[in-house]
């Protein structure tokens, strides 16, 4: 008998222990209940983490649409740097894997249209090379981005004024706040140039523009707070502007896009060798939000893992009942030559079998629900979520492996104590009181 106590015999015996004999349906019910518990826990984890992964991916895609993957800034970010000292060609050589390199200028200003005022971020770019880095060109809903580089006459003029002004592009939410339409005059006021010394040095206090386009990025902070002008116009609203900055081609920074934005950190490290410059990645800019998403994901995973933990306790309870009802059979197997180790292995295989069946069913159920959510899109979301019309789903094979592995470990841990009790059982007592 000891020679026959191999893995195949133990597997057969474990399966026989799982199947209740006629007249003892309680054990079969408890086994089924344990399997269902594991199945529900695994399926719930897969569906929830897949949906959360979909939301995370969608949000990251929106982050990447609204800003470059890497921003090259001066050590004093507000001061900026000269493109004559740091030409764009140098950055193109430094980052051969870059898909786009473009300078930009940022300034805090106030926009005025009629009686409406709004504090916004004025964004100066070269429309010929910078529109794609910030996804402004692809987000235009009215007009063309390249129109900001030319002069325009407003549709409505007063006192026969024929003045022509530079173009400006606004986010659709910002245009709605100002009540502005294409062709309207937009006045830009610089709160940083309010002092007499700034005005005497050539700083711009107010300047008129013509609305030539509207964009919609799907990100509220950009659509409601961003105004886009040409690079030369944006420079006039720098905090320390003077005419000499135009000659030196001063900018706040240079944006860089790559094919693989998820591995942007090594590119930023290259700037450590360049004196006077530093790098700021999109991950660093959105670090708080990314951390919150990861924390939410791990917290939700830990909470749902409690379902599997409860199922593991159910497995342990089921097997303890098996040990109680199978005392005579255990003692008989021991008397026929099976060792304590064989008995322990038998119950561990029993717990492993319950866990495996539950995990396989849960994996199939979870993936099936994810597929239905992704393909059929029967879970509609409110229309105020802009681009999202249904629950986003992202398949995460590595996370699924961790879920299944954790479920297997908990199933084995649940079976460990009953296996130890069964292995330590005295065969003579089991036969005596049977």
């Amino acid at each position: 008998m000891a020679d026959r106590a191999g893995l195949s015999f133990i597997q057969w015996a474990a399966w026989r222990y799982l199947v209740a004999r006629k007249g003892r349906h309680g054990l079969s019910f408890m086994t089924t209940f344990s399997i269902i518990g594991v199945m529900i826990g695994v399926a719930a984890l897969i569906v929830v983490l897949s949906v959360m992964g979909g939301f995370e991916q969608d949000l990251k895609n929106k982050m990447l649409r609204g800003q470059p993957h890497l921003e090259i800034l001066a050590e004093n970010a507000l001061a900026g740097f000269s493109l004559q000292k740091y030409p764009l060609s140098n950055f193109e050589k430094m980052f051969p894997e870059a898909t786009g390199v473009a300078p930009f200028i940022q300034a805090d200003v106030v926009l005025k249209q009629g009686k409406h005022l709004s504090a916004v971020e004025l964004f100066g770019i070269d429309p010929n090379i910078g529109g794609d880095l910030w996804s402004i060109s692809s987000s235009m809903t009215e007009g063309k981005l390249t129109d900001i580089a030319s002069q325009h006459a407003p549709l409505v003029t007063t006192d026969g004024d024929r003045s022509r002004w530079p173009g400006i592009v606004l986010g659709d939410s910002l245009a709605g706040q100002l009540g502005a339409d294409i062709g309207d005059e937009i006045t830009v006021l610089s709160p940083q140039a309010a002092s007499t010394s700034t005005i005497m040095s050539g700083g711009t206090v107010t300047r008129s523009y013509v609305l030539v386009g509207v964009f919609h990025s799907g990100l509220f902070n950009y659509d409601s707070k961003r105004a886009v002008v040409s690079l030369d116009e944006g420079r006039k609203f720098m905090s320390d502007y003077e005419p000499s900055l135009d000659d030196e081609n001063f900018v706040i920074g240079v944006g860089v896009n790559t094919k693989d934005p998820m591995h942007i950190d090594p590119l930023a490290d290259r700037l450590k060798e360049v004196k006077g410059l530093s790098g700021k990645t999109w991950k660093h800019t959105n670090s708080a939000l990314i951390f919150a998403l990861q924390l939410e994901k791990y917290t939700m995973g830990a909470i749902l893992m409690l379902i599997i933990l409860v199922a593991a306790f159910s497995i342990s309870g089921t097997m303890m009942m098996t040990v109680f009802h199978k005392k005579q059979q255990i003692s008989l197997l021991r008397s026929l030559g099976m060792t304590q180790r064989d008995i322990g292995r038998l119950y561990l295989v029993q717990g492993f079998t319950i866990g495996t069946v539950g995990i396989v069913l849960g994996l199939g159920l979870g993936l099936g629900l994810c597929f239905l959510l992704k393909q059929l899109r029967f879970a509609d979301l409110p229309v105020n979520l802009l681009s999202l019309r249904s629950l986003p789903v992202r398949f995460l094979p590595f996370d699924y492996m961790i879920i299944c592995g954790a479920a297997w470990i908990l199933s084995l841990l649940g079976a460990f104590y009953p296996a130890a009790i069964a292995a330590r059982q005295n065969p003579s007592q089991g036969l005596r009181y049977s």
Side-chain angles (χ1 to χ4, degrees):
M1 182 66 184
D3 295 336
R4 294 181 58 191
L7 187 59
S8 59
F9 173 77
I10 291 176
Q11 290 175 337
W12 175 83
W15 177 253
R16 293 291 298 173
Y17 271 33
L18 289 174
V19 179
R21 294 185 303 173
K22 185 176 180 180
R24 290 186 180 180
H25 298 292
L27 289 178
S28 178
F29 171 79
M30 290 300 297
T31 300
T32 303
F33 184 81
S34 301
I35 292 175
I36 292 175
V38 176
M39 178 187 71
I40 293 175
V42 171
L45 267 172
I46 289 175
V47 173
V48 171
L49 293 185
S50 296
V51 172
M52 294 184 67
F55 276 112
E56 180 181 1
Q57 184 64 40
D58 180 78
L59 189 55
K60 285 183 177 179
N61 290 337
K62 290 180 178 178
M63 292 177 189
L64 295 173
R65 286 208 309 268
Q67 64 186 90
H69 305 159
L70 172 65
E71 293 181 354
I72 302 172
L73 306 171
E75 290 183 349
N76 181 2
L78 296 177
F81 57 89
S82 171
L83 290 182
Q84 291 186 354
K85 182 178 180 181
Y86 301 100
L88 288 180
S89 57
N90 290 355
F91 298 121
E92 293 172 352
K93 293 178 182 178
M94 183 182 298
F95 306 109
E97 58 274 83
T99 58
V101 178
F104 67 93
I105 292 173
Q106 290 174 298
D108 294 326
V109 299
V110 176
L111 298 190
K112 179 179 181 296
Q113 199 282 322
K115 297 181 179 180
H116 302 283
L117 294 172
S118 182
V120 303
E121 176 188 64
L122 188 68
F123 206 70
I125 63 172
D126 184 341
N128 296 317
I129 61 175
D132 292 335
L133 260 70
W134 288 267
S135 300
I136 299 175
S137 298
S138 59
S139 302
M140 296 294 295
T141 57
E142 295 183 68
K144 296 184 297 183
L145 180 63
T146 53
D147 289 341
I148 63 175
S150 56
Q151 302 287 320
H152 305 269
L155 294 180
V156 179
T157 59
T158 59
D159 300 328
D161 187 1
R162 299 293 181 180
S163 300
R164 299 175 67 87
W165 298 311
I168 187 171
V169 170
L170 306 179
D172 57 353
S173 298
L174 177 58
Q177 294 172 17
L178 295 174
D181 296 319
I182 299 296
D184 285 349
E185 177 187 353
I186 305 293
T187 302
V188 180
L189 303 91
S190 175
Q192 299 173 350
S195 64
T196 303
S197 59
T198 305
I199 297 174
M200 294 297 293
S201 64
T204 303
V205 179
T206 64
R207 194 168 177 84
S208 295
Y209 295 86
V210 175
L211 181 59
V212 295
V214 174
F215 68 88
H216 172 75
S217 66
L219 294 172
F220 178 78
N221 287 341
Y222 298 146
D223 294 338
S224 64
K225 294 295 182 180
R226 176 170 287 181
V228 183
V229 296
S230 65
L231 201 62
D232 292 335
E233 290 296 325
R235 189 179 295 115
K236 291 177 171 53
F237 292 92
M238 293 178 65
S239 58
D240 55 351
Y241 174 76
E242 57 183 33
S244 62
L245 297 183
D246 292 325
D247 299 330
E248 297 179 15
N249 204 5
F250 245 72
V251 296
I252 291 295
V254 173
V256 178
N257 271 12
T258 66
K259 295 180 180 179
D260 188 6
M262 299 302 168
H263 297 85
I264 193 65
D265 293 328
L267 276 68
D269 293 338
R270 299 177 192 175
L271 291 169
K272 295 179 179 178
E273 303 175 0
V274 182
K275 185 178 180 180
L277 297 181
S278 62
K280 185 178 181 181
T281 67
W282 69 273
K283 293 181 179 179
H284 181 267
T285 303
N286 302 282
S287 58
L289 182 56
I290 293 175
F291 175 77
L293 289 172
Q294 293 177 344
L295 180 62
E296 183 180 14
K297 178 180 177 181
Y298 294 143
T299 302
M300 187 62 68
I303 293 174
L304 291 177
M305 187 61 72
L306 294 177
I307 300 177
I308 301 179
L309 182 61
V310 171
F313 279 108
S314 177
I315 292 174
S316 181
T318 299
M319 295 180 60
M320 287 300 296
M321 291 179 63
T322 304
V323 172
F324 176 78
H325 286 283
K326 301 287 186 179
K327 283 184 178 181
Q328 181 181 5
Q329 291 89 332
I330 294 173
S331 300
L332 183 60
L333 291 174
R334 287 292 309 280
S335 65
L336 293 176
M338 288 189 70
T339 64
Q340 289 185 337
R341 181 179 179 183
D342 293 331
I343 297 297
R345 289 170 62 192
L346 187 151
Y347 275 88
L348 287 178
V349 170
Q350 182 179 347
F352 181 81
T353 302
I354 295 174
T356 300
V357 174
I359 290 169
V360 171
L361 293 177
L363 186 62
L365 177 61
L367 292 178
L369 290 175
C370 289
F371 180 80
L372 291 176
L373 287 172
K374 189 176 182 66
Q375 297 298 326
L376 300 183
R377 298 183 179 275
F378 56 82
D380 294 332
L381 297 178
V383 294
N384 57 357
L385 291 181
L386 300 176
S387 60
L388 287 178
R389 291 294 177 265
S390 61
L391 290 175
V393 176
R394 182 186 177 195
F395 291 98
L396 306 168
F398 180 72
D399 289 4
Y400 301 159
M401 292 174 59
I402 294 178
I403 292 172
C404 294
W408 263 313
I409 292 174
L410 289 176
S411 299
L412 288 176
L413 289 177
F416 183 80
Y417 180 73
I421 295 298
R424 291 199 300 264
Q425 183 173 299
N426 190 330
S428 60
Q429 292 181 351
L431 292 174
R432 180 184 306 171
Y433 298 105
S434 61

